[in-house]
Amino acid sequence: MFKKILIANRGEIALRVIRTCREMGINTVAVYSTADRDSLHVRFADEAVCIGPPTSRQSYLSIPNIISAAEITNADAIHPGYGFLSENAEFSRICSEYGIKFIGATAEQINYMGDKATAKATMKAAGVPVIPGSEGLLESVEEGKALAKEIGYPVIVKATAGGGGRGMRIIKNESEFQKAWDDAKMESGAAFGNDGLYLEKFVEEPRHIEIQVVGDQFGRVCHLSERDCSIQRRHQKLVEETPSPIVSPELRERMGQAAIKGASAIGYEGAGTIEFLVDKYGEFYFMEMNTRIQVEHPITEEVTNFDLIKEQIKVAAGQPISGQNYTPQLYAMECRINAEDPANGFRPSPGKITQLHFPGGHGVRIDSHVYAGYTIPPNYDSMIAKVIVSGQSRAEVMTRMKRALQEFVIEGIKTTIPFHIRLMDDPGFQSGNFTTKYLETFDFSGL
Ligand code: MV4
């Protein structure tokens, strides 16, 4: 087992990793930018190294600075958390060249899954359902138009280097094709230095449902059921829940087996997520694979009683997984508390938290790095806490979530808490019958 793990991240996920390391008897090294001097991850770790100025590029994204910190402190592994360098193939490769275990995917796997057309082809070859469309990249706009005519409008063109909603265009009919093509090419070339595009049938009003998988070095992969992440705004997830209100035991089994096939096909080790779109007929299709721990992993932890960070560390150290696919017996839901003003377009609201009280009680878990007197720096993402609630039924979890949200006291900044309270009272959300477009028509006024 590792003696010392460096956590190449900040905020709640850095704390989350430190907590598990402490329980496992593993020493920890925090890294921090000058904006995070007073952060809890710096205080909770056994050692801390300053890695640069506030800008992410000069600190949490600086590979030389982080490798230097690992060398100086003699860390034998690096946990990247999510975001930052967690899906950076070069970082994964450099860690292994320096003899430091990267707790995440190999450079090859990251490259494979980071190129969306390649990822899709790999999954299709492995027998995972994919959305009808082009085989790989489109060579020309004419090829795209001919294919769109064949499969029928609406279609969507996607940047192969994109993901998370960047570099895509929906096309409703042939007259829109050329402009959408030009726009997507231009945007993806500028954003990713790669303007390769592929085409798919556009799935209208889908749900976003993802399967958690864990693989080990012995070629075993198990799934830990699904998370429904359909409540999003501009590709930012706000609420996640498990089990999904629309996933039957039969669908769970089919999606779980598909996810296992996909992860096995690339020899996946560690924790990963296979994202699917589910259409209104209950058909599911591969969308993307995330080769990292995700923000919403705690809802899976609450219903499975697995510590996913512990599983990541064990598997990275060469230990086997227990190899049990999981059938949910409990419900869990997560609300992301962001320092944003939901009544004003979710405008960021950084600043000093003058008063703070967190909820508690049965079935309530808070993962957060903030405290009374803490100043939220403007340099990083705006998530300041995750409320994770578990219970016996979806109805119980929504009631408990509203109770927990009402217990919060956060003064000095705006947060997304009023939005979440309104959502828990919303009949459409309560019905469980909603799609990824749900928040497009939600009333955010007066929050
Ligand atoms: C789609 C789609 C409909 N049809 N692909 C958005 C993020 C990226 N992972 C892919 N996305 C989508 N791909 C086809 N063929 C709709 C979306 C989509 C979406 C997916 C999941 C959650 C929220 C979304 C919001 C807008 C569009």
Side-chain angles (χ1 to χ4, degrees), residues 214-377:
V214 187
D216 66 19
Q217 295 182 7
F218 306 97
R220 298 180 71 180
V221 179
C222 70
H223 81 80
L224 297 174
S225 85
E226 80 280 6
R227 294 185 287 259
D228 192 322
C229 308
S230 300
I231 299 293
Q232 326 197 339
R233 182 182 168 276
R234 302 197 180 164
H235 304 292
Q236 295 295 314
K237 296 170 186 166
L238 283 163
V239 177
E240 305 94 353
E241 60 181 301
T242 184
S244 167
I246 63 135
V247 173
S248 64
E250 293 72 28
L251 181 58
R252 177 171 305 112
E253 179 62 17
R254 287 198 290 130
M255 291 180 75
Q257 291 307 323
I260 289 172
K261 270 199 257 177
S264 302
I266 61 163
Y268 197 73
E269 276 173 45
T273 302
I274 321 273
E275 295 182 355
F276 294 101
L277 281 183
V278 180
D279 70 14
K280 54 185 161 230
Y281 312 106
E283 297 294 330
F284 67 92
Y285 307 95
F286 170 77
M287 191 162 52
E288 287 176 21
M289 176 168 184
N290 300 314
T291 58
R292 58 162 193 275
I293 195 76
Q294 289 191 275
V295 174
E296 59 271 27
H297 77 276
I299 59 171
T300 301
E301 295 188 321
E302 292 309 307
V303 300
T304 62
N305 239 350
F306 258 116
D307 177 334
L308 283 170
I309 304 292
K310 189 172 179 179
E311 291 303 308
Q312 284 189 297
I313 294 170
K314 278 169 55 181
V315 162
Q319 296 180 13
I321 52 169
S322 59
Q324 285 277 309
N325 297 334
Y326 177 79
T327 315
Q329 313 286 327
L330 281 176
Y331 281 74
M333 185 178 287
E334 170 178 278
C335 289
R336 298 190 189 189
I337 311 303
N338 298 339
E340 294 169 355
D341 181 358
N344 286 292
F346 289 75
R347 179 168 68 202
S349 176
K352 184 168 177 169
I353 298 176
T354 53
Q355 299 282 346
L356 180 73
H357 176 77
F358 281 152
H362 184 53
V364 179
R365 164 178 170 181
I366 308 291
D367 280 17
S368 173
H369 61 292
V370 306
Y371 54 85
Y374 176 75
T375 299
I376 302 155

Side-chain angles (χ1 to χ4, degrees), residues 131 156 158 165 200-203 232 235 277 287-288 436:
I131 302 167
I156 184 167
K158 295 182 172 179
E200 289 179 342
K201 177 84 186 160
F202 180 65
V203 179
Q232 326 197 339
H235 304 292
L277 281 183
M287 191 162 52
E288 287 176 21
T436 57

